[in-house]
Amino acid sequence: MASTPDSTHDADETTNAESEEPESALETARRQLQHAAEQLDIDQNIVERLKHPKKVHEVAVPIERDNGDVEVYTGYRAQHDSVRGPFKGGLRYHPDVTREECVGLGMWMTWKCAVMDIPFGGAKGGIAVNPKDLSDDEKEQLTRRFTDEIRAVIGPTKDIPAPDMGTDPQTMAWLMDAYSMQEGETIPGVVTGKPPIVGGSKGRDGAPGRSVAIITREAIDYYDKNIKETSIAVQGFGSVGSNAAKLLDDWGANVVAVSDVNGGIYDPNGLDTHAIPPHDEEPEAVMTHEAPETVTNDELLELDVDVVIPAAIGNVLTEDNADDITADIVIEGANGPTTSTASAIFAERDVPVIPDILANAGGVTVSYFEWLQDINRRAWSLERVNDELETEMLAAWADVRTEFEAHDVTWRDAAYIVALSRIADAHDTRGLWP
Ligand code: GLU
């Protein structure tokens, strides 16, 4: 599913391109790490440590289906690195979840937290299941049983899950409840992305989309464009895509195309994004919205726009379409939307690709705010959350921009340089024990 890239034509990438094998998130993440480490002259011993997750937990998760049958699913929690703080990262319910994917996505969480300079490490977990095949009762059972199976290795100072594909605030509330019941006390800080009534942060739901919008706005400005004269196509109208599209629309951009899994709509004069409910609220809303043209998800990416934002799933920008993307700037809203080969093509064509580990990092940043609120037992206002998110995003953008300008590298490499320097410094300072 998710997988990303970097901007060199190394042997691996060529092999990969010729064989047309889809990249696993782990292969891509390791390749990116190695490539960025070479740019940085980072101690190879530390790179070696970072190539391997600290631990991967694999558990059986049996539940009784509504029809009385027992079904056993497989759940994972891959804990990559915790040198800068507790493991942190989402839980994904999706049929393609594998051990490898969790490790790769967990690595990306390590870099994402380090780019944002928040005191967490990286993890990812999930269950190989299609949540659409389960009733609410079955999802609740699955979540509670999975939580119990991994209870010993999670906690507010150990590893803090959050929502990801196929999970939502309700899933996090069940996780928090299952954990708290077993521990004998209410422990909201074990998970983030909860509903605010049980310790969730205001603004957490919209945060990944908000950060995508902020970074898009900064990139538009960096490349000397006026946001009011900028056309934008957004692939995906879930939490990330819909929130990013609406904010950019509010800030004067011309959002001309949006899509969901059913396809997309296009209006060169701009869509009224606020009139389209997000996919999770109304699954048919995008395609039933009045618009002069419909487009497929592939066509949307190739529209003649200034900015394209893939904000749905991984591996949508590939060697097959990278040459046909006409947008001047690509902003990665999803985790891993660009394959290695596509990244290399964009680098050659000088098309800036602002990476996921910066652009969508608002999610984990507000997760950090939520964790602080849980520990302090004091809720922040939505205004405070959004103000502090803006401050953190601008600081991270400035850090990445500094590296981008200082070295002849892609935006992805620049973000990796920021992240890896912090992680390597922390490893170096703490040392290898015993
Ligand atoms: N799943 C989100 C991500 O990929 C958020 C993780 C978190 O908040 O811990 O960034």
Side-chain angles (χ1 to χ4, degrees):
M1 171 92 323
S3 192
T4 327
D6 235 329
S7 50
T8 47
H9 284 299
D10 64 27
D12 262 5
E13 282 163 0
T14 312
T15 311
N16 203 295
E18 278 167 3
S19 62
E20 291 181 349
E21 282 291 313
E23 280 173 343
S24 80
L26 178 56
E27 279 165 355
T28 316
R30 284 194 173 141
R31 196 174 298 143
Q32 288 175 355
L33 168 65
Q34 187 58 48
H35 182 254
E38 281 157 15
Q39 315 270 335
L40 188 61
D41 193 25
I42 183 178
D43 180 351
Q44 192 55 37
N45 290 323
I46 289 175
V47 177
E48 208 43 48
R49 285 184 71 182
L50 291 173
K51 279 185 184 165
H52 303 277
K54 190 154 187 262
K55 262 188 192 160
V56 184
H57 308 275
E58 179 176 331
V59 295
V61 193
I63 61 162
E64 189 180 315
R65 300 292 305 263
D66 292 343
N67 66 7
D69 291 349
V70 169
E71 197 145 348
V72 184
Y73 299 94
T74 307
Y76 305 91
R77 186 69 179 167
Q79 299 175 322
H80 174 245
D81 183 80
S82 62
V83 72
R84 305 179 73 252
F87 298 106
K88 184 82 189 86
L91 275 187
R92 185 171 274 207
Y93 289 179
H94 192 278
D96 294 342
V97 166
T98 60
R99 182 187 191 280
E100 280 220 320
E101 187 194 56
C102 291
V103 174
L105 291 166
M107 287 172 83
W108 285 332
M109 285 309 303
T110 304
W111 324 141
K112 203 182 280 194
C113 292
V115 168
M116 295 309 302
D117 208 8
I118 54 185
F120 288 139
K124 199 73 136 202
I127 302 178
V129 61
N130 186 349
K132 289 185 183 144
D133 294 343
L134 301 181
S135 68
D136 283 351
D137 278 353
E138 292 169 337
K139 270 190 276 191
E140 177 173 351
Q141 264 196 71
L142 186 78
T143 305
R144 290 183 182 280
R145 181 62 190 246
F146 179 54
T147 304
D148 197 48
E149 295 296 341
I150 60 168
R151 183 162 62 94
V153 297
I154 59 173
T157 58
K158 290 184 185 166
D159 182 354
I160 307 133
D164 200 270
M165 282 166 70
T167 58
D168 60 14
Q170 179 61 64
T171 322
M172 302 303 117
W174 290 326
L175 193 159
M176 184 275 233
D177 186 68
Y179 183 83
S180 297
M181 296 299 284
Q182 294 288 8
E183 295 289 317
E185 56 183 312
T186 295
I187 307 176
V190 64
V191 69
T192 59
K194 303 174 292 295
I197 191 69
V198 289
S201 178
K202 295 190 180 76
R204 172 62 184 79
D205 263 358
R210 178 169 285 270
S211 70
V212 167
I214 293 169
I215 294 299
T216 305
R217 187 193 65 206
E218 295 307 307
I220 288 170
D221 188 53
Y222 185 83
Y223 285 101
D224 289 329
K225 292 176 187 292
N226 178 347
I227 193 162
K228 298 202 161 66
E229 290 158 17
T230 300
S231 57
I232 301 182
V234 182
Q235 186 187 63
F237 212 66
S239 160
V240 182
S242 69
N243 284 299
K246 285 180 208 166
L247 272 173
L248 289 161
D249 193 2
D250 292 347
W251 295 339
N254 202 19
V255 178
V256 294
V258 300
S259 68
D260 64 13
V261 67
N262 305 311
I265 49 175
Y266 174 53
D267 184 346
N269 295 315
L271 295 161
D272 178 3
T273 56
H274 286 276
I276 313 169
H279 180 77
D280 38 328
E281 278 171 27
E282 261 188 53
E284 305 305 322
V286 169
M287 290 313 275
T288 52
H289 186 81
E290 188 118 356
E293 280 182 55
T294 57
V295 285
T296 64
N297 266 297
D298 290 343
E299 286 163 354
L300 178 139
L301 296 171
E302 295 173 18
L303 284 174
D304 183 13
V305 288
D306 297 306
V307 179
V308 67
I309 306 180
I313 54 170
N315 281 353
V316 294
L317 297 172
T318 66
E319 62 179 318
D320 294 334
N321 63 3
D323 272 317
D324 302 320
I325 305 300
T326 51
D328 299 330
I329 306 173
V330 179
I331 310 278
E332 294 187 337
N335 286 322
T338 317
T339 66
S340 294
T341 320
S343 269
I345 295 169
F346 286 131
E348 249 172 44
R349 290 183 52 211
D350 257 336
V351 176
V353 180
I354 315 292
D356 45 8
I357 58 169
L358 171 64
N360 72 25
V364 75
T365 303
V366 176
S367 278
Y368 169 54
F369 298 163
E370 180 169 328
W371 182 78
L372 292 175
Q373 293 170 67
D374 289 338
I375 286 172
N376 289 298
R377 295 286 200 264
R378 193 179 170 97
W380 298 4
S381 68
L382 178 60
E383 194 187 13
R384 175 168 177 196
V385 169
N386 286 344
D387 281 355
E388 296 215 15
L389 175 60
E390 172 88 20
T391 306
E392 298 297 333
M393 292 314 303
L394 292 183
W397 167 256
D399 290 343
V400 174
R401 194 187 55 210
T402 303
E403 297 304 331
F404 177 75
E405 286 171 353
H407 309 276
D408 185 21
V409 293
T410 61
W411 285 96
R412 191 185 315 285
D413 282 339
Y416 265 75
I417 291 172
V418 171
L420 282 178
S421 328
R422 290 176 179 153
I423 296 160
D425 269 1
H427 271 292
D428 196 38
T429 307
R430 282 181 62 167
L432 179 60
W433 182 83

